[in-house]
Amino acid sequence: MEYKRYHPYRLNEEVRNRNAEVHLHVSDFIYPLFVREGISQKVPVEDFCGVYHHTLETLVEEVERKLSLGIDKFLLFGIPSDENKSELAEYAYAEGNIVYRSVRRLKEVFPEVTLFTDVCLCSYTTHGHCGILVEDSINNDATIEILGKVATCHAAAGADFVAPSAMMDGQVWAIRQMLNREGYNTKILAYAAKYASAFYGPFRTAAISKPAFGDRKSYQLDCRTISQGISEIESDIAEGADWIMIKPAHTYLDMILRAKQLFPKTPVAGYHVSGEYMMLNLLSSKGLADWQSVLWEVHYAIKRSGADYIISYAAPLLAQKLQNNTN
Ligand code: PBG
């Protein structure tokens, strides 16, 4: 019996490195940041390792530290003070709101950064849903009008990309229309295939955006669907998305692969979401896995599936390691 020998390809670290087909670079990472109104110093988010609520000042310091690691892309989430939340989320598009001020300030201090802003209403509505409600159900068409205004507000502040995550039908179209009308050529990173996931828990603590009742299953994708996800991506590209996102990334690697194969010209980002990240953290805190090893493995899996960019809370840890390896 003749058989092929594979062990020589894995013999030692050097050989393994030489045979690696997938690589991570610091330029692959987009790092999420939370800026909160009404706090006087940065506050760690409970049970969300390494994630903080920032003031405008600590946000600037944080970006400076991350830039020194080589991370230059950031996804910004604004958290208004309680009195700025309302039924119709007016503060989400108020000129001079927390996101507007943050983008302005960051672009002033670090013109080289690429800023993505999350465009959603869940942190701005009193009920925590991603859209406007009429008798407890989402009014899609009223919501996309508002999302257009939110995106325009972020564009006016100088955001490079707006990232609509509300999963309203036609949201990319409405945003593109309004940006065009107002004369902004800001790009759109569409949360194209965003599934209704149980892995968003730590994020909702961080964004103070837990729905007061019900869930998001009427607007986010059902985990048992494939073709709806593909179709949502197709619609978003047709409506004017520049990049698309699959979310969550780790649990939906197949959708990243499909997106890459079906839409090879559109950059794909995978969002390694809060619960996926904390799942690895808790596993390692119990001594059941090595924190760095599981992080690398999962990020390689996301990259291997075809993601061009990875939105990840672990970006600084990984970037630090990449920096040490190359120095
Ligand atoms: C806003 C939004 C969510 C996430 C990003 N934008 C949560 C949600 O849909 O409830 C989740 C990100 C994460 O879990 O890290 N709609």
Side-chain angles (χ1 to χ4, degrees):
M1 169 69 184
E2 271 298 306
Y3 51 84
K4 192 164 153 86
R5 293 194 181 271
Y6 291 97
H7 290 191
Y9 298 102
R10 305 160 195 164
L11 208 53
N12 57 43
E13 184 78 20
E14 195 198 323
V15 174
R16 287 191 292 273
N17 286 347
R18 205 180 318 128
N19 285 287
E21 294 168 84
V22 180
H23 301 276
L24 286 165
H25 307 284
V26 68
S27 57
D28 300 337
F29 297 130
I30 302 172
Y31 186 51
L33 288 171
F34 299 88
V35 58
R36 184 173 181 186
E37 226 173 31
I39 52 172
S40 52
Q41 57 189 46
K42 75 174 190 180
V43 184
V45 178
E46 202 180 345
D47 296 329
F48 198 171
C49 176
V51 177
Y52 291 84
H53 283 154
H54 285 285
T55 67
L56 202 44
E57 281 65 40
T58 71
L59 182 74
V60 174
E61 293 160 14
E62 178 79 345
V63 166
E64 185 166 28
R65 273 194 299 274
K66 298 317 176 231
L67 279 171
S68 72
L69 293 172
I71 298 170
D72 63 356
K73 301 179 199 65
F74 302 92
L75 173 58
L76 265 189
F77 293 92
I79 307 157
S81 57
D82 280 350
E83 61 273 18
N84 280 330
K85 294 193 184 215
S86 63
E87 280 289 303
L88 299 177
E90 288 93 341
Y91 185 68
Y93 54 89
E95 196 183 314
N97 70 15
I98 184 72
V99 175
Y100 184 96
R101 277 179 281 140
S102 303
V103 171
R104 265 278 144 106
R105 181 73 175 280
L106 289 175
K107 278 287 179 184
E108 232 167 62
V109 187
F110 312 109
E112 72 274 30
V113 299
T114 303
L115 292 182
F116 300 75
T117 56
D118 187 77
V119 174
C120 193
L121 304 186
C122 60
S123 297
Y124 298 87
T125 50
T126 33
H127 45 68
H129 276 285
C130 303
I132 297 308
L133 297 181
V134 177
E135 284 168 9
D136 290 359
S137 62
I138 292 281
N139 183 330
N140 185 86
D141 295 4
T143 303
I144 62 176
E145 272 286 304
I146 297 177
L147 293 173
K149 292 185 192 172
V150 176
T152 308
C153 163
H154 297 178
D160 299 282
F161 281 80
V162 289
S165 70
M167 286 304 279
M168 295 298 131
D169 294 330
Q171 62 182 12
V172 174
W173 171 81
I175 288 172
R176 182 54 83 206
Q177 294 283 308
M178 208 171 294
L179 289 175
N180 283 347
R181 204 162 52 233
E182 301 294 324
Y184 295 109
N185 55 9
T186 314
K187 292 192 168 68
I188 301 177
L189 164 59
Y191 284 67
K194 174 174 174 182
Y195 282 84
S197 172
F199 286 99
Y200 300 151
F203 172 92
R204 290 184 188 163
T205 309
I208 317 184
S209 64
K210 210 167 153 199
F213 62 90
D215 53 41
R216 307 208 199 286
K217 290 184 178 168
S218 70
Y219 41 102
Q220 300 179 348
L221 284 155
D222 186 296
C223 68
R224 296 164 296 183
T225 60
I226 299 169
S227 56
Q228 277 181 40
I230 303 293
S231 190
E232 291 245 13
I233 296 170
E234 202 164 38
S235 299
D236 281 358
I237 294 173
E239 290 174 25
D242 297 277
W243 293 11
I244 52 171
M245 190 201 298
I246 307 295
K247 179 185 167 190
H250 187 179
T251 348
Y252 296 83
L253 293 174
D254 60 309
M255 294 306 292
I256 297 179
L257 181 63
R258 288 190 177 96
K260 199 66 217 167
Q261 288 174 339
L262 293 168
F263 311 101
K265 284 188 285 199
T266 308
V268 178
Y271 197 148
H272 181 46
V273 302
S274 58
E276 294 177 327
Y277 164 80
M278 280 309 293
M279 175 168 71
L280 304 179
N281 181 270
L282 294 171
L283 190 72
S284 61
S285 72
K286 284 277 178 197
L288 295 171
D290 172 64
W291 178 220
Q292 283 277 340
S293 306
V294 283
L295 283 176
W296 285 105
E297 188 171 338
V298 166
H299 286 73
Y300 277 124
I302 297 170
K303 189 81 190 275
R304 195 176 64 237
S305 306
D308 299 290
Y309 298 96
I310 305 175
I311 301 164
S312 174
Y313 303 100
L317 288 168
L318 302 179
Q320 201 153 31
K321 198 72 193 294
L322 287 171
Q323 199 172 48
N324 292 343
N325 289 351
T326 51
N327 281 345

